Amino acid sequence: MDCRQEKTAEQFRLEANEAFHKKKYAQACELYTKAIEISPSAVLYANRSLARIKLEEYGYAYMDACKSIEWDPRYPKGYYRRAVANFALGKYKAALEDFTRVLQLVPNDTDALAKKKECEKRMRELAFAKAIDSDAVKPCSAFDTIDYESIPVEDSYTGPRWERDEDIKSFCDQLLEYLRNQGRLHRKYLIKLLCYSKRYFDQLSNIVSYQVKECGLTVCGDTHGQFYDVLNIFQLNGYPSRENPYLFNGDFVDRGSFSVEVIITLLSFVCYDPQCMLLNRGNHESRNMNKIYGFEGEVKSKYNEKIYSLFAELFESLPLGHLLMGEKENQRVLVIHGGLFSRDGVTLEDLQKIDRHREPDQGLMAELLWSDPQKELGLGVSKRGIGVSFGPDVTRRFLDANQIALLVRSHEMKEQGYEIEADNRLITVFSAPNYCDQMGNLGAYIRFSSSLEPHVTTFSHVPHPNVPPMAYASNGLSSMGLV
C-alpha cells in the first residue's frame, strides 16, 4: 500500500470518529467500512464494532470484534467490544471470558473489572433460576400470591384511586395528569391493573383478529419508556377510546427512564376498555432485556422486586400480533413487532400454536420478535445476533401464502419515524422520537381507515423531566472509547 492510500484510510477514520462523536453512528459505520476496504486493522474493526453497538446491531458488532482480535490478538478493545456485544445478547459466560482477557492485557482496568463482576452476578442468578425451575418444583404464579384488596392506602397518598370497577373512567382521567406531574401510582392500584390486564390477555390467542371499524385504528411502534412522547401522541391524535382505538406494537419499556409510566398508562386503558387499547409483545417485554436495559431496575427503584415479577409474568401473556380485518374479505394487515422467519411456509396457524408464555429466545417466537427486513433478496445473517434478516421476496411469499396485503412491524429506529419497503407491502413504524435523547429522529404513527388504507403522521420529541435514558440500566453496556 502506498502513502496516498494510507492517508486516505486515515482520513476516513478521522471522519468516522467525528461522525461517531456527533452520534451519527450509521454514517460512522460507512466511513469505517471505507477505511477498512483500503487498510484493514484491529483498530478500525473495533471502532466499527462500537458504532454498531450504538446502533444495537450486536450481531454485526460481535463479528467486527472477532475481526479485530484476528488482526491483533493482544488488542484489548477487540475483546472488550466482543464482551459488550455478548453481554447485550445475554451471553454472560462468553462476555465473562472476554472481560477476563481484557484484565489480563490491562490489569488495572477498573471498568472491565466491574463488568466482569456483573457477568459473574448474572451467571449466578441464571444458575439459581435454573435450579428452582424443575419438573419437581414448579414455581407458582406471582399472581397467585397477591391480594391487592388487603393492601392499605395511606392517608398521605394524593393520587387517583380505583376502589370500584365503575370508577375506572375517572381513575384513568386523573391518572395521566398525575403521572405527567411525576406522581407515583399507589402499589395497590398498580397491582390491580396488572391482575385485571393479565386475566384479559390470558384469554387472547397469539395472533388476535381485529375488525377495524369505521372510526379506524392507530398503530404506534416502539415507545421505549418515552412517556412524555406517548402523551404527545394522544395530544396530536386524540386520547384512546372505543371511537379512537390504538394498537401499540411492543417495546413499551426499557432504555427510556419513564417506562413504568408508559406501561401503567397503556394498561389503564386496557382495563378501561380493551377495545380502545390493543397491545403486542415486543422483544423488550422479556426478563433478559429488562435486566440489561433498565425496566427491571426502574420497577425495583419505584416499587419493589415483587411488582417486577408481576410485570415479567404479565409480559408473557401479551399476544404476539394482531391481524387487522378491513371492510372487504381480502383486506388484511398483519401487525407484529419484529419480522419474518428463517424458513418459508410459516402460516398464521403455526404462529397460533406457539407457547408464548416464556422468554422469546428461540424458534418462531424469537424470529417474530427479533427479525429485520433487508434490501437484498433472500435471507441473511441477523445484525442483532438473534432472528434473521429477510428480503422483499421473503415478505412477498409469506404475505401471499397467508392472504395478507401488508405487513406492519416496528423494532427499528427510522430517521423519519417510518419506512416503506418491499414494493409497499411492508411498513416499519417507530414512535420514540429523538430516541434515547440523542438520535435526532422523528417518531411516527399509522392511522388505518376501515378499508385498511394507511396514513402516516410524523412528529418531533417533546421535553421531559431531567432524568436521562438508561438511568436504571445495567452497567455492562458501556464500551472503551474510539481510537
Side-chain angles (χ1 to χ4, degrees), residues 17 58 79 112 155 290 438:
N17 286 0
Y58 299 116
Y79 294 100
D155 292 340
N290 296 165
Q438 66 178 22

Side-chain angles (χ1 to χ4, degrees), residues 108-314:
N108 297 322
D109 190 321
T110 57
D111 191 56
L113 179 61
K115 289 179 171 56
K116 177 176 178 288
K117 291 180 178 179
E118 182 69 17
C119 288
E120 291 168 341
K121 175 186 172 186
R122 295 294 173 84
M123 290 174 67
R124 287 194 299 270
E125 291 172 349
L126 288 175
F128 177 75
K130 186 177 181 180
I132 65 172
D133 186 20
S134 65
D135 291 334
V137 184
K138 283 292 183 184
C140 65
S141 167
F143 286 89
D144 293 341
T145 62
I146 280 292
D147 176 16
Y148 56 81
E149 294 290 3
S150 66
I151 299 175
V153 179
E154 300 78 9
D155 292 340
S156 59
Y157 175 68
T158 59
R161 295 172 182 252
W162 181 25
E163 301 297 348
R164 303 177 304 163
D165 287 354
E166 53 265 35
D167 295 335
I168 184 63
K169 186 180 187 308
S170 62
F171 173 77
C172 288
D173 291 342
Q174 297 172 50
L175 178 63
L176 291 192
E177 198 59 31
Y178 184 69
L179 295 177
R180 185 198 300 272
N181 293 322
Q182 300 184 70
R184 187 165 300 171
L185 179 64
H186 196 279
R187 67 187 186 282
K188 172 178 180 176
Y189 306 120
L190 172 53
I191 293 170
K192 188 173 181 178
L193 279 177
L194 290 164
C195 290
Y196 273 50
S197 299
K198 185 172 188 302
R199 282 200 296 268
Y200 172 69
F201 292 133
D202 280 342
Q203 301 171 25
L204 301 179
S205 57
N206 289 341
I207 307 296
V208 179
S209 294
Y210 179 83
Q211 182 70 48
V212 179
K213 301 177 180 63
E214 189 174 345
C215 58
L217 173 73
T218 300
V219 176
C220 297
D222 303 33
T223 50
H224 276 300
Q226 296 187 197
F227 174 62
Y228 294 85
D229 293 308
V230 171
L231 293 182
N232 187 43
I233 292 172
F234 295 157
Q235 193 70 39
L236 295 169
N237 191 60
Y239 282 80
S241 68
R242 187 162 287 217
E243 292 72 38
N244 187 33
Y246 283 79
L247 166 55
F248 278 77
N249 193 26
D251 282 13
F252 326 119
V253 302
D254 280 341
R255 296 197 175 276
S257 295
F258 302 95
S259 295
V260 165
E261 288 75 11
V262 169
I263 190 62
I264 286 177
T265 296
L266 300 183
L267 293 180
S268 71
F269 282 109
V270 170
C271 292
Y272 166 60
D273 184 351
Q275 292 302 304
C276 82
M277 181 60 68
L278 315 177
L279 302 182
N280 281 343
R281 188 177 183 182
N283 63 302
H284 277 266
E285 278 69 60
S286 69
R287 296 172 193 268
N288 186 49
M289 293 295 102
N290 296 165
K291 187 175 289 293
I292 296 171
Y293 293 98
F295 183 61
E296 179 180 333
E298 182 181 347
V299 176
K300 289 180 178 179
S301 174
K302 295 178 178 179
Y303 291 98
N304 55 46
E305 186 171 356
K306 178 70 172 180
I307 288 180
Y308 174 70
S309 69
L310 295 174
F311 271 116
E313 195 173 334
L314 172 82

Side-chain angles (χ1 to χ4, degrees), residues 87 92 115 118 122 290-294 297 470-478:
F87 187 95
Y92 303 124
K115 289 179 171 56
E118 182 69 17
R122 295 294 173 84
N290 296 165
K291 187 175 289 293
I292 296 171
Y293 293 98
M470 303 287 279
Y472 303 95
S474 163
N475 68 355
L477 287 177
S478 59

